[in-house]
Amino acid sequence: SLGYFCMCLGCRHGHAFCYRHCPVCYWGGVALVGQDPRGPDNLPIRPYTTDMITLTPERIRQVRRKILGYYRRHGRKLPFRKTTDPYKITVAEIMLQQTQVDRVLPKYVDWVKKWPNWQTLSEATNRELLIMWSGLGYNRRALYLGEMSRTIVEQHRGLLPDNPETLRALPGIGPYTSRAILIFAFNRPLVTIDTNIRRVLITELGLPHSISATALERVALQILPVRRARDWHNALMDYGAMVLTSRKSGVRPLSRQSKFEGSLRQIRGEIVRQLTTKKRVSLASVAKKLGRPMEDVRKAAKGLANDRLICVNGDSVEMMSR
């Protein structure tokens, strides 16, 4: 077959396999490792070069040395980098979705202290979860973690699945987060690309800013040091956050988060905040607190109800009980 040796733990092919025709690796986007010179059957690997940017071995070594060297000297000492516990890695990754690291750190520490494993988390009420989560935004993520913990305890004997497809079936876990968990908890030879990593790859490799997600993923696979996936992704993230910022690189993010002030997210957050201290909250009190029209407050409440966070009864709301 043409292409890379398939290292996908989802399909477990033990032979050279064509990238285009692997339904798990290509369509599911799990893992292909193309820079190893030989597979376990000792067959030479022939890189798939059609519509792909090809990098020389020397250029790959240069980029790895530069990024990993910076990480070795200046890498951030974050609490979730001191563990490979799948539970703690999952909590961190869910918290880090669309939320800055500095805001996550104190919440992460308090969360894993209160609920150190899936079993203890599975016993938490929605109110307890939302009180602990308060301030991070996107409150549905807290309930996702609660639902996830109950699924893992009841269906997986308290152990986080390490199969990519099973992992993505859990509440709150999409393609990016599933790969991140497998990388940081299990050091799996996968790639996952966030805003920082995208910016570093484009800048350091001289890629066009308009490069597609699929093409960029293929490039990322070419330069991945397969035995150091965890270190490599931490290094890329730190280099992007601390050296190649958006302003310095000129690489714009694909999307920007909308302004919080004056948004429906602000109203949703205020409703949930009030419900962490009261059994029932009137929408009029939220409108008065924020100086927002009732129409907007009702719309925000409807969104929270659709997310199964609250129950709406006329112009008052209650937290949905578990």
Side-chain angles (χ1 to χ4, degrees):
S1 300
L2 297 174
Y4 291 97
F5 187 84
C6 178
M7 296 285 287
C8 169
L9 295 175
C11 58
R12 301 182 184 276
H13 297 133
H15 54 277
F17 197 85
C18 178
Y19 182 90
R20 282 195 180 280
H21 297 98
C22 176
V24 176
C25 299
Y26 183 71
W27 296 111
V30 178
L32 288 171
V33 181
Q35 74 276 9
D36 284 357
R38 291 176 180 271
D41 53 4
N42 207 36
L43 291 176
I45 307 305
R46 293 174 291 177
Y48 190 85
T49 57
T50 302
D51 69 9
M52 182 186 295
I53 297 169
T54 302
L55 298 170
T56 65
E58 179 56 30
R59 181 61 181 142
I60 291 173
R61 284 192 291 269
Q62 289 174 352
V63 172
R64 287 177 179 172
R65 282 197 298 266
K66 181 177 183 178
I67 304 301
L68 288 169
Y70 179 86
Y71 179 63
R72 184 173 60 254
R73 297 187 300 272
H74 306 292
R76 292 175 289 182
K77 309 300 182 184
L78 304 175
F80 39 80
R81 289 183 178 175
K82 298 177 181 179
T83 182
T84 57
D85 179 350
Y87 167 73
K88 293 179 180 178
I89 296 295
T90 302
V91 170
E93 288 302 321
I94 297 294
M95 287 186 170
L96 287 165
Q97 292 172 355
Q98 304 183 67
T99 307
Q100 294 177 336
V101 173
D102 290 346
R103 290 176 58 198
V104 165
L105 292 180
K107 291 292 184 181
Y108 168 82
V109 172
D110 290 344
W111 185 287
V112 297
K113 183 177 181 180
K114 185 176 180 64
W115 300 301
N117 51 48
W118 295 115
Q119 180 63 52
T120 54
L121 182 59
S122 71
E123 298 165 2
T125 66
N126 286 352
R127 182 178 296 275
E128 289 174 322
L129 294 172
L130 290 171
I131 289 173
M132 181 65 75
W133 194 270
S134 180
L136 286 180
Y138 298 100
N139 295 287
R140 184 70 187 124
R141 294 178 295 168
L143 302 193
Y144 280 147
L145 278 169
E147 293 171 22
M148 190 188 308
S149 67
R150 292 187 286 275
T151 299
I152 289 170
V153 169
E154 294 168 6
Q155 300 181 20
H156 302 285
R157 300 180 180 178
L159 299 175
L160 184 75
D162 61 1
N163 176 279
E165 291 184 345
T166 306
L167 197 57
R168 286 199 296 272
L170 294 172
I173 295 184
Y176 172 86
T177 302
S178 66
R179 296 189 198 184
I181 291 169
L182 292 171
I183 290 166
F184 296 123
F186 303 103
N187 201 32
R188 291 285 174 79
L190 315 176
V191 297
T192 197
I193 300 174
D194 69 356
T195 297
N196 285 325
I197 292 176
R198 176 178 177 272
R199 190 165 58 245
V200 172
L201 295 179
I202 287 174
T203 304
E204 289 297 320
L205 301 175
L207 306 176
H209 291 200
S210 60
I211 187 170
S212 70
T214 300
L216 187 61
E217 184 175 311
R218 293 177 183 176
V219 173
L221 286 164
Q222 283 187 289
I223 67 172
L224 172 70
V226 291
R227 293 178 178 83
R228 299 190 64 185
R230 180 188 295 117
D231 287 344
W232 179 239
H233 283 80
N234 281 331
L236 287 171
M237 290 176 179
D238 281 6
Y239 200 78
M242 302 163 70
V243 180
L244 281 182
T245 61
S246 182
R247 177 174 296 182
K248 184 174 181 179
S249 67
V251 179
R252 296 182 178 181
L254 293 175
S255 62
R256 290 185 180 275
Q257 193 175 72
S258 60
K259 186 179 177 181
F260 180 74
E261 193 72 25
S263 67
L264 288 181
R265 286 191 295 120
Q266 182 187 29
I267 302 175
R268 288 164 60 103
E270 179 61 23
I271 292 172
V272 172
R273 188 194 68 77
Q274 290 195 26
L275 281 172
T276 60
T277 60
K278 305 174 186 177
K279 182 177 181 181
R280 176 174 295 186
V281 169
S282 72
L283 298 184
S285 70
V286 176
K288 182 178 180 180
K289 171 79 173 178
L290 298 178
R292 302 291 294 275
M294 281 293 290
E295 180 183 358
D296 287 353
V297 177
R298 291 191 183 102
K299 186 182 297 184
K302 182 179 180 180
L304 288 171
N306 290 339
D307 286 344
R308 294 184 292 119
L309 270 77
I310 66 171
C311 299
V312 180
N313 184 10
D315 277 342
S316 66
V317 295
E318 294 181 10
M319 190 173 291
M320 185 171 287
S321 60
R322 186 185 133 204

